[in-house]
Structures are given as C-alpha cells and as structure tokens.
C-alpha cells in the first residue's frame, strides 16, 4: 500500500458484534439501580446507556456478552441469562 | 443514542478486552478536540478493520514504532498553524511503548512536545500471539517464555517505564487501571490540562493472553492494584503527588485467576518472590 487510506468516522457500527455472544447475555433488572454509571464505564463495547435510576440497558446488536457489567454493578442489578 | 460517542461499538476486540475499555475512557475524557496517533497493536487492529473505523476523532496509524514521532509532527504542525485548542495523543501497547517505540517516545519527551502518551499495558505482544515484552511481569507464561522443568515463565521484572519518563523531566507521569475507571478519567483530564509531555500507563487485562474468563477483567484489574503489584501513582513536576491506598490482598488472589500464572500455584518460593515485589511497592509508595 503506497499512500494513506481513509475510513468514515464511527463506521464500525456496521459491524454487529452481538452475534459473537456465546449463549449468555446480561439482563438489566432495572429494580435496584442507583444510576452510578459504573456499567457504562466498564463496557468494552460502549453499548450501555441510561440516565435516571432503573433506565440502564445495553444494545444487544453489539454486546459480546463478556459480563463485566454484572461484575461491576454494586447493587447486583444486572444478571447473566440464557441468550435466546 | 448517545451523542458524545468518540469510540464506537462494532470494533473487533475480544469479549472483555481491557484495552477496549481503556481506549474508550481515554478518548471520552479527552473529548472531540483531539488527534490520535496509534502504534501498531491490538487496539490499532481491532478499532480499524478496513473499511471501518471506531474512531470519532482524527486518528492515524503509520508503523509499530513511530506513533510518538508522528504525533510530534502533528503537534509541531498545529503550532505552526497557530491552532492552540487541539490536543494530541500518542498511544501504544506495552511492546510499542517500552520496547520498539521507546526511542521515538524518548525523543518526543526530550523535545518537550505538548503531547499525552498513553501505554495500554497488557503485559505482552498480544496482537501477534502473546510474546513477552519488557513489561511482562515476573513468572508470567507467554509463548516466548514457556514454562518447563527449568523455567517458571518470564525471568525478568517489568521495565520501570514511568521512571524512565520521569528521568526526562516531564511534568506529568501517572499509572492507572481499568479497575478504577473514574481515577483513570480524572488522570486523563488532569494530564491534558498540563502543557508539555505527559505519560500515563494503564493496566489493561487481556482475557486471551492472561488466560482468564472475559467477565473477570474488572476484578483482575482491581486485584492487581489491591495486592500492590500495580500501584496507582501520580508524579507532578517530578514529585510523587498521589498514591492510591490499598486494602493489601495477598498476591495469590490475583495470580490464581489467570492461567498465565497457573504453574505457580503450589510453588511457595516463586509466589514469595512476587509477594516481595508487592511488598516493596507498598513500602516505597506507602500504599497501606
Ligand atoms: C517493525 C515491526 N515489527 C513487528 C511487527 C509485528 N507486530 C505487530 S503488533 C505487534 C505486537 C504489539 O504488542 P503491543 O505493543 O504490546 O500491543 P498489543 O497488541 O499487546 O496491544 C507486533 C510484534 C510490526 N508490525 N512491525
Ligand atoms: Mg501488549
């Protein structure tokens, strides 16, 4: 390759990595959430959003099911469930 | 969707990748007025699977060893053009920082460029299949430091890159970890508020290379800090300005979650050596 190649900003969104999940996905119970935002901070995919308490959720188009959101939640308000 | 996204979903990092967590926290803390130069490595590869890119800021990759040189050119050009409000970040893995890129990095620090250099320290050359780097810790098994009858894995200690950075007389040097995301964000913001060269080394677990379950990235990153093996420190103008206090967990608790250390589990002598490293850190930085 002799010269620069360019890509469109944020175009990786075309790549739906949710298909990578290995049988489990996080479920956001939205009952004891204190809106601490820790799940947003730790998500490697950056696919969690939410504002007020009990509004947090993730985008299953991209979630690879790693489960670090479950680990970091101080209120055990996210659990891993069978992915159907 | 959120409008502040500067590092998009759809990248091809492994599930639970620590470097992906850190890279997003870094650019979100830096904000949109930023240009990034990236060495070759996992982050470069998984964030720019052609023709796609995860980046929402100008981002350039040239070679494995030269992001610091590329960033130096960018920063000089911005100065020439009188563009004062654009920040420049040079980022690399531990191999790109501590081994092959150290020369370019040293030049960038020594010349005094107004650039933040980030090292994503996953403690081996992960992108090419887990070869040892000079930031691989003692007794870690990698493909080039295999465990055997006469080998407990990597025979050397981590290169003191933060101290090498300090020796250049740069105004800000810090370590951080994805186990402490808010601390990481704070350090990025603080670094970028200071003029001159800055260096931040971030501990980023690698489920594939460290051989742990993907959901343990956060827990393992925290344990590295809480054992004293990865102290979170900050130097401003050459003076130690903060060291995060820890609860002092035994190093086995950290080692036993990772198969790269599994050969150590019944080896008291080797574990003692690793505990010694933690103890020295605890003493040196008054961590407890
Ligand atoms: C000059 C040169 N030598 C070797 C390589 C092959 N190579 C690409 S990435 C890499 C390892 C990167 O390791 P590190 O900097 O720790 O980043 P990581 O992938 O672990 O995030 C190597 C050896 C290269 N691209 N260029
Ligand atoms: Mg590495």
């Amino acid at each position: 390759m002799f010269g620069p190649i360019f890509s469109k900003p944020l175009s990786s969104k075309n790549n739906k990595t949710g298909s990578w999940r290995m049988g489990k996905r996080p479920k956001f119970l939205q009952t004891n959430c204190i809106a601490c935002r820790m799940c947003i901070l730790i998500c490697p995919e950056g696919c969690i959003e939410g504002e007020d308490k009990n509004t947090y959720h993730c985008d299953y188009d991209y979630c690879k099911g790693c489960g670090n959101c479950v680990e970091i939640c101080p209120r055990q308000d996210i659990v891993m469930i069978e992915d159907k | 969707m959120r409008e502040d996204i500067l590092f998009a979903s759809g990248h091809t990092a492994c599930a639970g990748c620590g470097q992906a967590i850190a890279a997003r926290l870094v650019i979100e803390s830096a904000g949109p007025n930023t240009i990034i130069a990236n060495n070759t490595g996992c982050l470069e590869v998984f964030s720019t699977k052609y023709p796609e890119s995860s980046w929402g800021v100008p981002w350039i990759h040239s070679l494995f060893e030269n992001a610091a040189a590329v960033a130096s050119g960018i920063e000089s050009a911005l100065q020439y053009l009188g563009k004062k409000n654009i920040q420049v970040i040079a980022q690399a893995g531990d191999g790109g920082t501590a081994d092959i890129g150290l020369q370019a990095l040293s030049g960038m620090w020594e010349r005094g460029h107004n650039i933040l250099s980030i090292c994503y320290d996953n403690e081996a050359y992960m992108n090419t299949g887990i070869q040892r780097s000079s930031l691989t810790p003692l007794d870690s098994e990698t493909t080039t430091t295999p465990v055997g009858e006469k080998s407990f894995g990597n025979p050397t200690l981590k290169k003191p890159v933060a101290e090498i950075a300090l020796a250049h007389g740069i105004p800000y040097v810090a370590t951080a970890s994805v186990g402490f995301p808010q601390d990481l964000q704070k350090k990025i913001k603080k670094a970028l508020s200071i003029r001159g060269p800055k260096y931040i080394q971030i501990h980023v677990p690698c489920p594939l290379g460290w051989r742990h379950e993907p959901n343990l990235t956060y827990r393992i990153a925290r344990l590295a800090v809480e054992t004293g093996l990865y102290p979170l420190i900050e130097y401003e103008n050459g003076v130690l300005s903060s060291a995060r206090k820890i609860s002092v967990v035994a190093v086995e608790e950290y080692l036993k979650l990772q198969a790269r250390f599994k050969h150590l589990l019944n080896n008291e002598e080797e574990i003692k050596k690793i505990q010694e490293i933690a103890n020295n850190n605890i003493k040196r930085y008054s961590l407890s």
Side-chain angles (χ1 to χ4, degrees):
Chain A
M1 183 62 60
F2 301 98
I5 42 181
F6 298 96
S7 296
K8 287 220 169 73
L10 309 175
S11 49
S12 65
K13 293 286 275 187
N14 295 336
N15 199 29
K16 300 276 168 72
T17 51
S19 63
W20 294 22
R21 283 196 303 279
M22 305 269 286
K24 290 246 156 61
R25 68 181 157 103
K27 179 172 186 204
F28 291 71
L29 302 178
Q30 302 190 339
T31 46
N32 291 317
C33 169
I34 52 172
C36 67
R37 305 184 71 78
M38 292 308 285
C39 52
I40 290 188
L41 295 185
I42 208 67
C43 176
E45 312 313 319
C47 69
I48 301 178
E49 58 180 0
E51 278 297 328
D52 302 328
K53 292 175 187 175
N54 301 319
T55 64
Y56 288 68
H57 59 276
C58 78
D59 188 338
Y60 294 114
D61 278 353
Y62 300 102
C63 170
K64 292 172 190 157
C66 76
N68 279 283
C69 51
V70 175
E71 288 285 320
I72 206 169
C73 179
R75 301 302 297 267
Q76 290 82 46
D77 205 38
I78 313 170
V79 293
M80 289 310 264
I81 59 164
E82 290 305 316
D83 203 3
K84 287 177 296 233
Chain B
M1 276 311 281
R2 289 161 56 193
E3 276 170 14
D4 56 342
I5 289 178
L6 298 173
F7 186 73
S9 310
H11 60 71
T12 57
C14 304
C17 172
Q19 192 166 198
I21 302 169
R24 183 176 50 74
L25 292 170
V26 166
I27 190 57
E28 283 179 359
S29 307
N33 267 347
T34 308
I35 298 176
I36 297 179
N38 213 131
N39 274 13
T40 310
C42 279
L43 174 59
E44 170 260 322
V45 169
F46 74 64
S47 66
T48 57
K49 179 174 74 71
Y50 190 75
E52 296 156 358
S53 167
S54 293
W55 299 96
V57 296
W59 178 97
I60 182 169
H61 163 253
S62 170
L63 295 170
F64 186 16
E65 61 273 29
N66 69 351
V70 171
S72 298
I74 293 170
E75 186 256 8
S76 301
L78 289 171
Q79 254 190 32
Y80 178 76
L81 295 170
K83 300 202 170 179
K84 294 211 171 71
N85 300 325
I86 302 175
Q87 316 167 109
V88 182
I89 292 177
Q91 60 184 17
D94 49 294
T97 298
D99 297 339
I100 194 169
L102 190 60
Q103 178 190 11
L105 202 51
S106 173
M108 185 181 97
W109 289 335
E110 172 267 322
R111 291 187 301 268
H113 290 281
N114 184 28
I115 295 171
L116 168 60
S117 38
I118 305 273
C119 169
Y120 296 98
D121 184 9
N122 55 21
E123 307 192 315
Y125 291 70
M126 296 312 183
N127 186 51
T128 41
I130 323 167
Q131 294 84 12
R132 168 207 178 270
S133 83
S134 59
L135 279 171
T136 300
L138 181 69
D139 284 354
S140 177
E141 181 169 45
T142 69
T143 50
T144 50
T145 54
V147 169
E149 249 170 63
K150 293 186 179 153
S151 162
F152 300 114
N154 182 50
T156 57
L157 302 177
K158 284 173 81 73
K159 188 188 273 190
V161 183
E163 276 141 30
I164 295 171
L166 275 173
H168 288 72
I170 69 175
Y172 187 80
V173 173
T175 57
S177 164
V178 292
F180 296 83
Q182 289 128 320
D183 175 76
L184 166 52
Q185 290 177 311
K186 219 173 68 198
K187 284 170 174 162
I188 299 295
K189 290 206 169 97
K190 184 162 178 185
L192 287 169
S193 74
I194 297 169
R195 260 202 93 73
K198 288 81 65 173
Y199 175 67
I200 300 182
Q201 183 171 310
I202 310 172
H203 202 217
V204 292
C206 169
L208 186 82
W210 298 10
R211 290 183 277 148
H212 64 74
E213 291 301 321
N215 67 329
L216 294 183
T217 301
Y218 171 67
R219 201 192 302 176
I220 287 172
R222 273 194 96 83
L223 280 169
V225 174
E226 294 294 351
T227 50
L229 286 171
Y230 217 96
L232 298 188
I233 51 175
E234 246 181 330
Y235 283 90
E236 285 168 76
N237 298 313
V239 181
L240 184 69
S241 59
S242 86
R244 188 184 188 92
K245 295 282 180 207
I246 62 170
S247 52
V248 190
V249 177
V251 296
E252 279 112 310
E253 299 303 310
Y254 172 67
L255 302 174
K256 74 182 185 194
L257 298 176
Q258 308 168 59
R260 65 173 172 158
F261 295 120
K262 79 167 183 300
H263 54 288
L264 301 178
L265 285 187
N266 295 314
N267 190 330
E268 272 176 39
E269 211 174 304
E270 287 305 305
I271 290 182
K272 225 173 106 190
K273 284 188 202 163
I274 296 174
Q275 187 62 57
E276 204 60 26
I277 296 170
N279 293 350
N280 286 340
N281 285 334
I282 293 168
K283 211 160 93 195
R284 176 170 177 196
Y285 301 110
S286 310
L287 299 178
S288 68

